Structures are given as C-alpha cells and as structure tokens.
Amino acid sequence: MRANSFIANPEAVVMYVDMNSFFASCEQQDREELRGKPIGVCPFASPTACVIAPSIEAKQFGVKTGMRLNECKTLCPDIIAVSARPYRYRWYHIEIMKVLNSYCDDVMARSIDEAVMNFTSYKLVYKDFFALARQIKDDIRKTCGDFIKCSIGIAPNSFLAKLGTELQKPDGLVRITSENIDEHLSQLRLTDLPGIARNNERKLNLIGIRNPLEMRYASPAILRKAFGGIVGNYWYSRLNFMEVDLYENSYRAMSATRAVSRDQRSNPKALEGLFVSLCTRLEQRMVKQKVFCREVSFYVKYNDFTRWDTVIKFGIPVQDASDLRKAIVSRINSFEQQHNTLIFNDKTLHIGLFISKFIRSSDVAYTLFDNTMRRDKLRWVMYDIKDRFGRDVVRKASEVIAPKEMTDAIGFGSVKDMYGSLVDKEGNTYKEVINKYLLEE
C-alpha cells in the first residue's frame, strides 16, 4: 500500500475513515451530561481560548474549529467550554485502529482522527465494500460507544476516498467510482477539494479552470502551469485514479510550543519550568524516533507583538534536553548582557522550540574527547524503564522543576509519536509498540 504509482487503476479499492468532531465526540461519550449539547473543546479554560473541536451540535450554529471561545458565544450562547484531555483522544484512536486492523493489514493512520485502508488485494475476501464499511462503523460504535461516529469514503485512491468523507457528514458513506466521479465533481467548487485553497483557486481560474470537473479533464501540462511544477502532475493523478498520497515521511522537524498564561508570565520559576518542559518533550520525541538533532530554533513572543528568536547549529548532534536548554540559555545570557534586558519577562506570551536536521541514533559518530555514549545509553534505559513501569517511576532532576506548568496538548496532525518499534542488534524492527506516555493522564 505504501508504494505509490502513476498508473491509473480505477478498480482499486481504498477506504478512508474520518472521525466526526472527534475530540468533542470523545468528551460526549465519556460524559453523559454533555451529550446532545453544543460543546467546544479548548486547550485551556479562558474566554480567549481557541476552540480546537466543536461538537456536531455547535457546528449547527456556525461554530468552527479555530474560533475564539468568546467569538463562539456570539453564535451559540449556550456553548459549553470543555478542557481538552489529550490522553483520552489517543486512547480512542488506539481502539479505533485495532478495529480497522482487524479487517485489513494495509492500514495507515493519517492523523489522530483519520486513517486509510487499502482493500485492493482483498476483493476475494470481501464481496460488498458498502456492507463492509457499515460493519466497520458498527464495530467502532460497539468498541468505543454510540457517540463515536465516522464518515467513510470508498474510491480507487486515497485522495478521492478522503473527498468521499467530505461529501456526507456526519456518519456518511460515499463511494466514488469511474462511473459517478464526474457527477460528484460537477457539484463541487474548487475549494471543496482537500488541499485547494483560495490562492490555488485563483491560479486555476487564470488558466480557465472554474470547477473540479474541468480540473479533472485538464492536461498535466496545463495543471503544471497552474501549480508551478510537478504538483500539477500530482493533481492530475489524484483526479484520474492514480495513487500519489500513500506514503509516510520521516520527521523533517519537531516542535514544542506553548502559550503562556497571565500567572505564568509573572512568575520566573513558572517560565523556567515551562521552558524545561518544552526541551524535555523534544528529548522524549527524539528518543522515541531514535534520532538526534543538529539544529534548534527558539523564539519568545510578547504581548506587545514583538518577538525574540535565535537559531543554533550543533557541531555534535544533540538529543538530551539539558544540552538543548544549555545551548539556548547561553545564547539568551549573551543577548541579555549586551542589551541589558530580560528575554523571559512579564510580557511573555508564547514560547516555542523547533528542532531539525536529524540524524539517526545508529549513525551518530562520537568524538574522542567528548564521548557521551554512556550518558546516551543511560537516557535510553531511563525511557525504557518509564515505558515498562510508568512515566513518573523515574525522572531526571530537570523534570521536577515546576513540572505542572506545561499541560498536555494534542494536534490533529501526525501520530508518529504514538507508535514506536523494537529493533534488534542488526537494526531490524521486530515489533511495533505503543508509546504509553501519551496514554497517561
């Protein structure tokens, strides 16, 4: 499944599963008092908090993901703000993936609330894929509860299958085939296609393409002109039953960012604790992905719309949180001494780190004079102990510096951090494992 092809295959069968209002539905499943009511899941309790997941009932009032809570209340005065519980959403994700994997070996989690299944080689196993999709829906409800619903699209490739999930929500089921694709596309706008934004729409309009149906019948050369390169070929392929989206990238970058509350910004210890926690989160992710980084970017945003940032490149790849922190603090101290100012102050609004330029742990070359091999091995053993017996059974000293200043957060994007692998001495993966960290409250 994970090998793409530019050969059209209208007979392929790909199923896309998209959970409906996922975070909000999980809360309604867990809490009976929220069922049937408009709710908005927020990362923290505040009138200016961003709603990361409105319930189906809230959406009926026009509430959308990304709106501020006070803005939502103007549309839906009775909306109930619910603080996010990321560990529960990850738990539901794991249970849903178990259901999907019981039907098909070719399953790929695309995000916390989406997955794609390739049934092309299962045509002799399943005779009716509509009936199969209904059975999958039923099994998810039996496993997770009546309020956990999904829309399923069936099509010859993953893009069209995803488009099918957009055509009927909530709890939809749509199949796109070579016989009905033109009918479906003729009823859509260009911006109804996943991945086509206003800017893309303007470019397509300039070359005479006004709707998805015209886009489907445009030549690859015309689409290359509109999109400025090979991306045009990808769009031609998607709309003509070729598969170009079933792939998994390794991380190019990782980030850890948090908004700073009013109480935190006036407390130097809280700011330091938040900073340490961000570094520790990136360490944990690198250990799980078995990589070191060679570059870190750090920024602080202030409530007067100014910011301070810096980029640090490492001659020796880094994985340890204390090394990240030490490098950034050194840069901060140098700046503060030169400019007689404080980087962390009572105007601090947002803190963020980005790490990139990864190298695999197995490829790290240790120097003769600064050999950190023993420290690295100790770190990996510590995380193995945490995996076996619980996150807090053993902790580094840095983890107890105001540890509760950084609450858990979750996004709809990559779920790579949720999965890991056990590797033998030759570097071969012999077992896939779940990151238990992310399932703890």
Side-chain angles (χ1 to χ4, degrees):
M1 181 181 79
R2 295 158 200 263
N4 292 320
S5 173
F6 282 98
I7 299 174
N9 184 6
E11 303 304 316
V13 180
V14 176
M15 193 175 291
Y16 206 101
V17 180
D18 185 0
M19 306 309 298
N20 302 145
S21 300
F22 185 51
F23 297 171
S25 296
C26 293
E27 293 294 342
Q28 290 177 322
Q29 182 61 47
D30 283 354
R31 299 172 57 183
E32 188 173 350
E33 70 274 15
L34 298 178
R35 296 174 183 177
K37 297 180 180 178
I39 71 171
V41 177
C42 304
F44 54 88
S46 169
T48 59
C50 176
V51 172
I52 58 175
S55 66
I56 292 171
E57 296 82 1
K59 289 179 179 178
Q60 293 172 352
F61 286 87
V63 176
K64 297 181 180 179
T65 300
M67 284 185 173
R68 297 289 178 184
L69 186 58
N70 49 14
E71 182 183 2
C72 296
K73 285 185 177 292
T74 63
L75 298 172
C76 179
D78 295 328
I79 192 170
I80 302 171
V82 179
S83 295
R85 298 183 300 156
Y87 74 99
R88 286 299 293 164
Y89 315 147
R90 298 185 190 108
W91 183 90
Y92 277 110
H93 167 85
I94 296 296
E95 294 303 306
I96 292 165
M97 291 301 295
K98 288 179 182 177
V99 171
L100 303 186
N101 279 292
S102 70
Y103 285 96
C104 174
D105 288 331
D106 287 344
V107 181
M108 183 188 299
R110 302 300 288 175
S111 67
I112 191 72
D113 65 336
E114 296 180 354
V116 60
M117 312 167 72
N118 186 1
F119 285 103
T120 301
S121 59
Y122 285 74
K123 291 181 180 179
L124 298 180
V125 179
Y126 305 113
K127 301 298 183 182
D128 185 344
F129 288 101
F130 252 110
L132 177 64
R134 285 192 286 267
Q135 183 61 48
I136 290 173
K137 284 170 168 281
D138 191 50
D139 280 0
I140 290 174
R141 278 194 289 267
K142 288 178 180 177
T143 301
C144 299
D146 292 338
F147 285 82
I148 309 298
K149 299 179 180 179
C150 65
S151 293
I152 295 181
I154 308 171
N157 65 27
S158 59
F159 172 80
L160 292 174
K162 178 174 175 59
L163 178 63
T165 67
E166 302 290 335
L167 300 180
Q168 194 178 94
K169 284 187 175 183
D171 203 20
L173 175 54
V174 173
R175 183 167 189 176
I176 297 176
T177 66
S178 55
E179 288 77 26
N180 67 15
I181 182 173
D182 287 358
E183 179 184 353
H184 282 300
L185 293 180
S186 65
Q187 300 174 30
L188 302 176
R189 299 169 298 175
L190 287 169
T191 50
D192 291 330
L193 298 180
I196 297 294
R198 295 289 185 188
N199 189 43
N200 301 127
E201 181 184 41
R202 285 193 293 270
K203 291 178 180 178
L204 289 164
N205 289 342
L206 286 174
I207 61 173
I209 296 176
R210 302 288 176 179
N211 57 63
L213 187 60
E214 292 179 356
M215 187 175 171
R216 168 168 151 74
Y217 286 102
S219 69
I222 291 293
L223 293 178
R224 280 199 305 272
K225 182 178 179 181
F227 289 96
I230 196 172
V231 175
N233 290 79
Y234 292 148
W235 278 106
Y236 177 84
S237 301
R238 292 182 181 113
L239 297 174
N240 288 277
F241 310 121
M242 303 171 209
E243 185 57 80
V244 294
D245 295 301
L246 285 181
Y247 59 87
E248 286 184 307
N249 283 329
S250 56
Y251 274 115
R252 294 184 179 180
M254 296 178 189
S255 64
T257 66
R258 285 296 186 278
V260 178
S261 69
R262 183 175 300 173
D263 292 337
Q264 287 174 325
R265 70 175 65 115
S266 59
N267 183 347
K269 184 178 179 180
L271 288 173
E272 172 66 11
L274 183 58
F275 176 39
V276 170
S277 295
L278 291 172
C279 294
T280 304
R281 175 59 57 87
L282 291 176
E283 173 189 279
Q284 186 253 333
R285 293 176 68 183
M286 284 192 282
V287 170
K288 291 297 179 182
Q289 296 301 319
K290 298 178 174 62
V291 296
F292 284 61
C293 74
R294 290 177 288 186
E295 184 172 300
V296 60
S297 301
F298 174 76
Y299 74 85
V300 179
K301 291 182 180 178
Y302 303 100
N303 57 15
D304 60 0
F305 303 104
T306 60
R307 62 179 285 155
W308 183 86
D309 52 35
T310 187
V311 177
I312 302 170
K313 298 182 179 180
F314 299 106
I316 300 174
V318 167
Q319 187 182 68
D320 196 272
S322 61
D323 291 337
L324 283 174
R325 179 186 174 279
K326 189 184 301 181
I328 295 170
V329 168
S330 176
R331 191 66 61 88
I332 288 175
N333 289 341
S334 176
F335 182 87
E336 288 179 340
Q337 291 172 7
Q338 292 178 18
H339 296 82
N340 193 28
T341 187
L342 292 176
I343 295 300
F344 293 125
N345 56 50
D346 58 4
K347 293 182 179 180
T348 303
L349 189 66
H350 209 275
I351 302 174
L353 291 89
F354 295 85
I355 53 175
S356 58
K357 296 186 178 179
F358 296 119
I359 181 171
R360 291 181 299 179
S361 300
S362 57
D363 295 335
V364 172
Y366 293 96
T367 68
L368 182 62
F369 302 104
D370 187 22
N371 192 332
T372 59
M373 185 183 296
R374 292 180 65 186
R375 190 172 62 140
D376 291 341
K377 286 187 176 181
L378 176 60
R379 185 186 320 117
W380 301 333
V381 169
M382 180 190 72
Y383 278 99
D384 185 55
I385 293 172
K386 285 172 174 280
D387 285 343
R388 291 168 184 259
F389 303 108
R391 177 171 52 190
D392 292 332
V393 70
V394 57
R395 289 185 288 178
K396 299 168 68 174
S398 61
E399 292 183 71
V400 300
I401 301 174
K404 298 185 182 300
E405 292 302 332
M406 189 172 87
T407 56
D408 196 3
I410 191 167
F412 287 95
S414 174
V415 290
K416 293 188 185 77
D417 288 340
M418 291 190 62
Y419 302 95
S421 57
L422 299 179
V423 182
D424 59 24
K425 292 181 180 179
E426 285 72 38
N428 301 313
T429 298
Y430 64 89
K431 184 181 179 181
E432 295 294 330
V433 294
I434 301 298
N435 184 349
K436 295 180 182 179
Y437 273 171
L438 301 179
L439 300 182
E440 294 182 9
E441 184 174 0

